[in-house]
Amino acid sequence: MAGTLIVGAGSAGCVLAARLSADPARTVRVLEAGPVWPALSAMPAALRDPAHLPVGPDSEVVWRYPGNLVRGRLAGGSGAINGSYFLRPPAADFVAWSAAAGRRWSFDAVLPVFRGLENDLDFGAGPDHGDSGPVPVSRTADPAPVSVAFAARCAAAGFTELTDLNAGSGAAEGFGRVPLTISGGRRAGPAVTHLYPAAARPNLTVTGETTVTRLLWRGTRVVGVEWTRGAERGTSRADQVVLCAGAVESAALLLRSGIGPEAQLRALGIPVVRPAPVGAWCTDHPEIGIEYPGEPGRPAVALEYVLELADLELRPYTPQFTAGLRRLGVALMHPVAAGELTLRAPEASVPPHIDQGYLRRSPDRAALRDGVDIAAQILGRRLGPVDEAWLRAHLSTSQHLSGTCRMGAATDERAVVDEYGRVHGIDGLVVADLSIVPVPLRRGPQAAVMILAAAIADYMVV
Ligand SMILES: Cc1cc2nc3c(=O)[nH]c(=O)nc-3n(C[C@H](O)[C@H](O)[C@H](O)COP(=O)(O)OP(=O)(O)OC[C@H]3O[C@@H](n4cnc5c(N)ncnc54)[C@H](O)[C@@H]3O)c2cc1C
């Protein structure tokens, strides 16, 4: 059986699977490394609880990498285990994105895609919002005391309250309630909104517990994939392969399959199919965690309010990550430093090396110090001295890695894919997930990756 084969039923993969299989003439198969339940009703209830982040040491639904980096490994991918925060990037990010990859990625072009995806249960249809898309979006009506206290402190410190963080160009600074992909008190990730509603289509097959290890080639045309399922090994042929394995695994899969920096591939004994800057650039949002004494609260979604300030986002988390302590996160949303992903071994069982480049550049350290000062002012606490060592001691990741297979013109030596996600110089291969975003995004990437997947799917069905 040929047709389109999607690798990964994560945030992007679910959107692609639903949109592409809407055409009954197209056969769509999805291979997902983690569990795929036969029906939504069979998904464990805990995974639908938005107050529960299933990423702890015992979690069986995550990929783990050094540096406390995790990714979802289940139907819905990272979007099935994340904080449900659904903020679209500001217009300025799409100015940069379209400068790198063409007008298709301008704010004017993607805003209708965003509106088409969402059903904003608070604001309804309007210039900024849709009310008939598959993704329900709402804000907490009854925030936890820690969130209420944060909002009050922001107001007392002179910051503006923004009623809708997904409004206008997204340039306004201030604090407000986080738009969340929650409906009826349950997490509504991409498997819920896209994959399961399409699952009964006869032309869509989704297979779980199946890890794609390598792409198969005829010259520079992809003709299928090689996979493992427990002790079983096999291959699947396809006319077209779409990688939706995420910013870590899509890049690793390309590298293992011979698309990447020549020297790196040769050193690992991997035959080069096409030289490309896979993994040569990536970006993420470093976060400084400021802990302060606090009482435990009732279970709530991790983040109900945020303070948005130019390139910073302040996050008053509702869970207690350490008993007796609360945490205010200060995230740098537009770092100048870049990271790098490299393969350490040709085997799929060896995770790649990921260097996020956190704190490498002085403007990033200065911006985070400013953010810590603002946090200290809001909390009414004295912190520091906030030097580089202090920043490093309080550093963590926002789990927002992107950009390992950048989008751009064929003449752009930093680009791996074109504006439609097609891998330069290769036939039949598309990458459509967070790995192809060519610029840092100033918001959490869940809304962006769903916009991206929907836009690429729309192009593919034309
Ligand atoms: C704990 C956590 C919390 C987060 N919170 C938020 C938030 O609240 N808001 C926000 O905006 N962003 C958040 N993010 C980030 C956001 O969820 C992700 O960036 C986004 O979901 C990435 O989408 P993706 O489609 O690129 O990859 P994923 O959603 O990660 O999907 C990749 C899929 O491919 C599968 N896969 C990988 N390799 C293979 C292979 N070789 N063979 C078969 N299948 C494979 C994986 O199992 C997975 O299902 C969070 C991330 C994490 C990890």
Side-chain angles (χ1 to χ4, degrees):
M1 197 195 344
T4 300
L5 191 151
I6 298 172
V7 180
S11 299
C14 289
V15 176
L16 264 298
R19 294 217 172 193
L20 296 182
S21 65
D23 173 5
R26 185 193 287 261
T27 304
V28 179
R29 280 169 302 154
V30 186
L31 299 181
E32 162 57 42
V36 177
W37 294 272
L40 185 55
S41 54
M43 187 185 270
L47 292 175
R48 298 288 313 275
D49 175 1
H52 171 61
L53 284 180
V55 299
D58 300 333
S59 174
E60 293 180 350
V61 290
V62 294
W63 303 75
R64 286 190 192 285
Y65 306 98
N68 204 23
L69 199 65
V70 295
R71 304 276 99 185
R73 185 183 190 132
L74 71 166
S78 303
I81 58 154
N82 74 11
S84 303
Y85 154 129
F86 196 74
L87 262 166
R88 67 169 197 241
D93 289 350
F94 291 101
V95 170
W97 188 336
S98 55
R103 273 183 319 180
R104 177 170 300 276
W105 300 99
S106 69
F107 187 62
D108 287 348
V110 300
L111 184 57
V113 183
F114 174 78
R115 288 171 51 210
L117 273 174
E118 73 161 359
N119 174 12
D120 193 304
L121 302 168
D122 296 324
F123 290 99
D128 294 320
H129 290 293
D131 68 349
S132 52
V135 181
V137 179
S138 61
R139 294 135 191 93
T140 308
D142 178 24
V146 63
S147 308
V148 173
F150 175 77
R153 285 175 177 273
C154 285
F159 295 109
T160 305
E161 178 155 18
L162 304 173
T163 52
D164 180 7
L165 293 177
N166 270 338
S169 69
E173 294 193 330
F175 66 96
R177 287 181 302 152
V178 175
L180 299 164
T181 50
I182 295 176
S183 173
R186 297 209 288 176
R187 180 184 267 134
V192 176
T193 61
H194 284 79
L195 192 67
Y196 283 107
R201 293 177 186 158
N203 60 329
L204 174 63
T205 318
V206 187
T207 310
E209 314 285 359
T210 305
T211 302
V212 172
T213 48
R214 213 166 55 87
L215 303 173
L216 301 174
W217 306 107
R218 190 168 58 238
T220 53
R221 163 167 284 280
V222 71
V223 292
V225 302
E226 193 178 80
W227 48 257
T228 60
R229 183 180 303 135
E232 195 187 343
R233 289 186 165 9
T235 60
S236 297
R237 297 270 146 185
D239 298 320
Q240 184 182 42
V241 173
V242 184
L243 298 189
C244 295
V248 178
E249 295 299 329
S250 284
L253 195 48
L254 287 176
L255 291 165
R256 282 201 301 274
S257 306
I259 301 184
E262 264 185 295
Q264 187 186 142
L265 301 185
R266 288 197 199 290
L268 294 170
I270 299 171
V272 178
V273 174
R274 161 103 186 168
V278 174
W281 183 86
C282 60
T283 183
D284 200 341
H285 299 142
E287 177 175 316
I288 302 299
I290 299 169
E291 300 207 302
Y292 58 98
E295 298 300 314
R298 62 177 160 81
V301 66
L303 210 47
E304 297 176 315
Y305 269 88
V306 284
L307 172 61
E308 300 290 353
L309 293 172
D311 296 344
L312 295 167
E313 185 174 83
L314 270 64
R315 307 172 175 159
Y317 290 106
T318 64
Q320 286 199 318
F321 301 109
T322 310
L325 293 176
R326 299 225 149 268
R327 186 183 298 172
L328 178 59
V330 176
L332 178 59
M333 304 305 281
H334 201 257
V336 295
E340 191 183 13
L341 178 149
T342 46
L343 216 53
R344 292 186 297 148
E347 295 82 24
S349 54
V350 182
H353 175 73
I354 303 158
D355 172 4
Q356 287 129 314
Y358 288 165
L359 305 187
R360 188 171 290 153
R361 302 275 305 275
S362 61
D364 292 350
R365 298 193 295 272
L368 280 166
R369 274 197 298 271
D370 289 347
V372 171
D373 283 349
I374 294 166
Q377 184 198 344
I378 289 171
L379 293 173
R381 298 176 63 82
R382 293 174 67 85
L383 300 166
V386 183
D387 54 16
E388 188 176 341
W390 190 95
L391 290 175
R392 287 201 183 277
H394 294 80
L395 180 64
S396 63
T397 175
S398 300
Q399 308 285 3
H400 294 167
L401 192 78
S402 68
T404 49
C405 311
R406 280 172 105 164
M407 180 187 286
T411 49
D412 180 349
E413 61 187 20
R414 301 164 310 166
V416 175
V417 303
D418 71 7
E419 61 187 315
Y420 305 106
R422 298 176 300 202
V423 178
H424 288 302
I426 296 290
D427 292 319
L429 183 60
V430 171
V431 187
D433 59 25
L434 209 54
S435 64
I436 67 174
V437 177
V439 294
L441 299 175
R442 289 181 177 81
R443 299 288 183 271
Q446 186 62 24
V449 76
M450 293 186 79
I451 293 170
L452 179 152
I456 289 185
D458 288 352
Y459 157 71
M460 287 174 68
V461 296
V462 170

